[in-house]
Amino acid sequence: MENSSDNRFDTRFDSDFAAGVLLDLAQERSLDGLMEKTLCAAMTQAEIARVEIWLIEKGDLCSHCVQKPRCPDQTRCLHLIAVSENSAPAGVGESLFFYNTKERIPLGISFIGRIATTGQLAELRNLGGARGELPAVGSLQMDGIRQCVGTAISFRGEILGVYAIFSRGKITKDRLAWQQIFSDHFGGAIANARAFEEIRAAGKRLEQ
């Protein structure tokens, strides 16, 4: 039987909202702008307590990274590029946003790291007893958070990273499908934004 607290959030899929988000992201040409729009869109959903965007980048903090002892390949790892958090139990508190953090996860290690290697959607429940699987959550209050769902961000068959949400409501099958679709489109948007940033950088070099 579901507790009354489990049913406080409307988790029905809103196709109009989803279409608007995808269109907005497709038009964004800045990587920072893309991250900001993604986090802001996610935080409009009252059931979402936290969103994490991890991207595969070069190993850069290996000399003092706490994950180094269990990292199988120090040439690349997952970087926590962007995160938003709303710790209010009712889902109506002020959202906090962080960018380009120093959190790192080795590929293939822990909940997030495994998604980056398998490319498969994964769910994690009973989060209170699984903090070892989620090293970046910090002081987030797990009480009332029902599950974490992670999907691989990919573009043309290449895994670019992981998109993870922490939900206070039960995530329905249509919302799971939406997260997978979003992650695929998000990968294309990231690739486009990076291409535009490279073009802008090349233009500045030519001017100089």
Side-chain angles (χ1 to χ4, degrees), residues 2-68:
E2 299 284 350
N3 296 326
S4 59
S5 60
D6 295 333
N7 298 317
R8 291 174 297 168
F9 306 103
D10 183 2
T11 58
R12 290 175 295 181
F13 180 68
D14 186 339
S15 58
D16 290 336
F17 172 78
V21 170
L22 294 182
L23 180 60
D24 198 24
L25 296 186
Q27 297 172 341
E28 180 56 55
R29 298 186 177 186
S30 160
L31 191 60
D32 288 343
L34 186 63
M35 298 301 159
E36 181 178 357
K37 287 183 177 180
T38 301
L39 296 181
C40 288
M43 287 294 100
T44 63
Q45 310 300 301
E47 76 275 10
I48 295 181
R50 181 180 173 96
V51 175
E52 296 179 352
I53 300 172
W54 297 82
L55 295 182
I56 298 175
E57 305 283 0
K58 293 181 180 180
D60 61 339
L61 303 176
C62 300
S63 62
H64 55 278
C65 179
V66 297
Q67 303 286 352
K68 183 178 179 179

Side-chain angles (χ1 to χ4, degrees), residues 79-202:
H79 295 212
L80 184 55
I81 299 298
V83 55
S84 60
E85 183 176 302
N86 180 356
S87 59
V92 293
E94 182 179 356
S95 297
L96 302 176
F97 299 86
F98 305 93
Y99 301 93
N100 297 314
T101 77
K102 293 184 178 181
E103 293 286 349
R104 303 289 184 266
I105 290 180
L107 297 175
I109 303 298
S110 78
F111 176 71
I112 299 294
R114 288 191 292 272
I115 296 172
T117 55
T118 66
Q120 299 297 313
L121 180 149
E123 299 179 63
L124 184 62
R125 305 189 183 189
N126 300 320
L127 273 63
R131 284 188 178 273
E133 288 287 299
L134 302 165
V137 295
S139 61
L140 179 67
Q141 295 297 317
M142 290 301 185
D143 293 341
I145 299 179
R146 298 200 59 179
Q147 63 190 115
C148 174
V149 175
T151 45
I153 302 168
S154 61
F155 178 67
R156 293 182 177 177
E158 178 186 359
I159 297 177
L160 305 181
V162 175
Y163 178 76
I165 64 170
F166 296 75
S167 177
R168 296 186 177 93
K170 183 178 180 180
I171 301 179
T172 57
K173 289 183 179 181
D174 54 355
R175 292 297 292 270
L176 289 174
W178 151 246
Q179 184 167 337
Q180 185 64 70
I181 292 171
F182 171 80
S183 295
D184 292 339
H185 282 265
F186 191 38
I190 289 173
N192 289 337
R194 284 174 168 172
F196 278 114
E197 289 186 347
E198 289 176 2
I199 291 172
R200 284 194 293 268

